[in-house]
Amino acid sequence: MTSQQSASSRPIYLRMVALACISFFTGLQFKHMKDLFGSSVDGVNIDAAAWAPEDFDRPARSKTLATKELSRREKRGRDKSENRQPERGIKEMASGNKKNKKKKYKPPRRFEASNYTNDFKPLPWTLPKPTPMRYQTAEEFMVDYIAAKHKQKIPLPWDQQDKYAGKIATLPLPIISLNFPKSATLTMKTYFDCGGLTSAHTSTNDGRIGVCMMENHFNDKPPMDGCNTHKLRHDSHDVVPIDFISDIGLQGPPCYYSSLHDGGLEHIAKFYPDATILLVTRNASSWHRSMSNWGSIFHRWRKYCGFDASLHDGKNMEYWKNMFQSNSVRSKEEYWVNFYQAHTQKIREFAMKHLSMTYVEVELADNMGELLEKYTKVSASCVMDCHPGPKWVKEHNATGRCHPVGENPALKDATLEANGEEGGGDGEEEGSDNDDDGKTDDDADNKESDE
């Protein structure tokens, strides 16, 4: 072959090689595409993706597995929903509705202790020095009181059967209970409720009774002005006047007791000259024990009220301050017993000076119901044995805070323990006291602790 022929055939050779390469690769790619889509050539499957990385098709496989897993989960979810109890579904729907439902706005009540801070200045108070009147029993004093009314030719309500024939109680309204905390405040509220009177204990729809009376005292308004009505039901607009109030003191801040702070009793007499004052007394030592076992009332009385005479000056305060300092630091029982008795004496002296008002005093004893029925016309069977709030109810496995006399769970437990049997409660000593309502809060700075 000449050099000229060799030169002319080289381009043809190169073109043939190029064409062969193109054909080869084109055919290879064609087969790859057919195999990728599940096809075969002459019935023989060719793995044309052998060149690809091992995880080349992992996304496709993962997607398929995910779809299958989702289907299994959906099926399992349907099975569970079919087996689910209907009540649960209803509860969940109700719960969801509650969450979606907006809470109804409740405006703050007008008379709240939370409106006052710890820097509220303690108000002046006075208690009398001992006289023979202090040591009389309730029945003995009532004999003297009734005699004084007869001497002044002032009729007694319970003797005027014709005047009170169509009324629920033979007492002028309102009836204001001046009992100290732990002296049957809730028992009396329950008693008059049972008799058909509208009764309030600690608070009304408008807030704390003590705050209401204190502010009205400051502003020279009737003691119950603005808090003397009660709404029959929360969803009702019907209101009725309040006939009876109890637990009307404030432990502080602010601290206020109409029967202790200066001018409080006179303020009641000024605006309610025909009203009834009720006082339930009890053994002073028993009262002290009950108070000591209930929250931190004595602490609050010292800190916010100054009832240990540490926050006030004057001759009367010197008398009480010396008595407090002379007593044992740990107990102070003698001081508080005298304090309780002096409080009773002060109210009795007030009753004797304001004979136009009606005064009723009974002692927390077995015959209390009979005496109350005599004075009020409300049945003695309405007297209940009432005790503190939720904590007491739970401890004694009780159905409520008040029980018929003799049916008190705490007394039953104490009787069972005395007979060597096992009772349902703890049989603590306080259970035998006719203690009254309050919250189980030992925090000394809790403003809303009931008494």
Side-chain angles (χ1 to χ4, degrees):
M1 182 180 293
T2 64
S3 59
Q4 185 175 5
Q5 290 175 336
S6 176
S8 61
S9 61
R10 186 177 296 171
I12 296 173
Y13 174 75
L14 292 174
R15 284 195 294 270
M16 291 176 65
V17 172
L19 182 60
C21 291
I22 291 172
S23 299
F24 173 80
F25 284 107
T26 301
L28 185 63
Q29 291 300 319
F30 177 76
K31 291 180 180 180
H32 169 65
M33 294 296 291
K34 288 178 73 71
D35 291 341
L36 187 62
F37 287 98
S39 301
S40 60
V41 179
D42 297 331
V44 180
N45 290 330
I46 301 175
D47 188 7
W51 56 270
E54 293 180 357
D55 60 350
F56 176 78
D57 63 343
R58 185 170 296 171
R61 292 200 306 269
S62 299
K63 185 175 181 180
T64 302
L65 292 173
T67 303
K68 291 181 179 179
E69 179 65 20
L70 181 60
S71 298
R72 284 196 297 269
R73 290 183 181 180
E74 289 177 350
K75 183 180 179 182
R76 189 164 58 245
R78 286 195 298 270
D79 294 341
K80 286 186 176 180
S81 63
E82 290 174 359
N83 296 329
R84 182 178 298 164
Q85 295 179 357
E87 299 83 31
R88 185 178 177 186
I90 294 172
K91 288 180 181 179
E92 289 177 353
M93 291 176 62
S95 176
N97 293 336
K98 286 181 180 179
K99 289 180 181 178
N100 296 330
K101 187 178 179 180
K102 291 184 179 180
K103 290 184 178 179
K104 188 177 179 181
Y105 172 73
K106 274 186 153 185
R109 296 187 300 179
R110 178 180 174 185
F111 303 106
E112 292 289 1
S114 57
N115 296 333
Y116 297 84
T117 57
N118 292 354
D119 58 358
F120 182 85
K121 188 177 180 181
L123 302 172
W125 59 275
T126 53
L127 283 176
K129 294 182 180 180
T131 65
M133 182 186 291
R134 175 182 295 191
Y135 306 106
Q136 287 182 299
T137 66
E139 290 190 59
E140 290 172 346
F141 175 75
M142 284 301 293
V143 170
D144 291 346
Y145 172 77
I146 292 172
K149 296 271 280 191
H150 285 159
K151 185 177 181 180
Q152 297 294 327
K153 298 183 179 180
I154 301 174
L156 295 165
W158 47 89
D159 290 337
Q160 297 176 284
Q161 299 298 326
D162 294 338
K163 180 179 179 180
Y164 292 93
K167 298 184 179 180
I168 297 174
T170 53
L171 289 177
L173 304 178
I175 305 170
I176 302 173
S177 174
L178 299 178
N179 307 359
F180 260 161
K182 315 307 296 174
S183 296
T185 57
L186 180 59
T187 296
M188 289 298 97
K189 188 265 185 190
T190 306
Y191 172 75
F192 284 107
D193 262 345
C194 173
L197 280 74
T198 303
S199 306
H201 179 268
T202 307
S203 300
T204 70
N205 298 131
D206 300 291
R208 290 293 295 264
I209 299 173
V211 175
C212 176
M213 296 184 72
M214 179 188 72
E215 293 183 1
N216 287 329
H217 184 182
F218 294 162
N219 297 313
D220 198 28
K221 295 181 179 179
M224 292 293 290
D225 184 57
C227 58
N228 59 351
T229 57
H230 175 71
K231 188 183 290 187
L232 294 177
R233 293 186 344 186
H234 291 293
D235 58 348
S236 170
H237 297 288
D238 297 329
V239 295
V240 294
I242 293 175
D243 303 318
F244 171 84
I245 56 173
S246 66
D247 189 29
I248 60 177
L250 298 170
Q251 303 169 16
C255 176
Y256 181 78
Y257 288 85
S258 296
S259 53
L260 280 170
H261 288 106
D262 294 353
L265 290 173
E266 288 72 22
H267 177 241
I268 294 174
K270 176 180 178 180
F271 290 97
Y272 302 144
D274 300 319
T276 299
I277 298 294
L278 173 69
L279 182 67
V280 178
T281 59
R282 63 182 297 188
N283 177 274
S285 296
S286 176
W287 168 82
H288 175 266
R289 181 179 66 252
S290 187
M291 286 277 283
S292 299
N293 293 334
W294 184 251
S296 55
I297 297 179
F298 284 137
H299 170 82
R300 300 172 72 83
W301 275 9
R302 295 193 302 270
K303 181 177 180 180
Y304 299 116
C305 305
F307 287 162
D308 59 351
S310 62
L311 304 179
H312 303 86
D313 297 320
K315 291 183 178 180
N316 187 266
M317 290 297 101
E318 285 296 323
Y319 170 81
W320 290 102
K321 186 182 297 183
N322 292 335
M323 183 187 299
F324 187 85
Q325 293 175 351
S326 65
N327 274 270
S328 167
V329 176
R330 293 186 62 186
S331 160
K332 301 296 181 185
E333 178 178 353
E334 183 181 348
Y335 177 84
W336 293 116
V337 165
N338 277 278
F339 189 88
Y340 182 89
Q341 293 172 340
H343 173 257
T344 301
Q345 178 184 333
K346 180 178 181 178
I347 296 174
R348 288 174 175 177
E349 291 176 352
F350 169 81
M352 285 296 199
K353 292 178 182 177
H354 297 81
L355 293 174
S356 67
M357 302 182 75
T358 299
Y359 179 75
V360 174
E361 181 180 327
V362 294
E363 191 170 352
L364 203 59
D366 294 338
N367 65 338
M368 183 176 74
E370 298 174 5
L371 291 173
L372 283 171
E373 183 173 353
K374 168 189 171 182
Y375 295 135
T376 68
K377 198 173 74 172
V378 176
S379 173
S381 62
C382 285
V383 174
M384 306 288 280
D385 194 353
C386 297
H387 285 257
K391 181 179 178 181
W392 183 91
V393 172
K394 183 178 179 181
E395 285 178 349
H396 296 282
N397 194 27
T399 56
R401 295 182 296 177
C402 297
H403 300 80
V405 177
E407 297 297 320
N408 184 315
L411 294 178
K412 288 185 174 182
D413 293 342
T415 303
L416 290 173
E417 288 186 358
N419 295 332
E421 301 176 34
E422 184 178 355
D426 57 12
E428 62 181 353
E429 183 178 7
E430 190 180 355
S432 62
D433 295 332
N434 202 352
D435 296 334
D436 277 305
D437 160 69
K439 293 181 181 177
T440 54
D441 188 350
D442 292 339
D443 181 6
D445 296 320
N446 176 22
K447 298 177 183 178
E448 293 300 322
S449 177
D450 291 344
E451 299 170 349

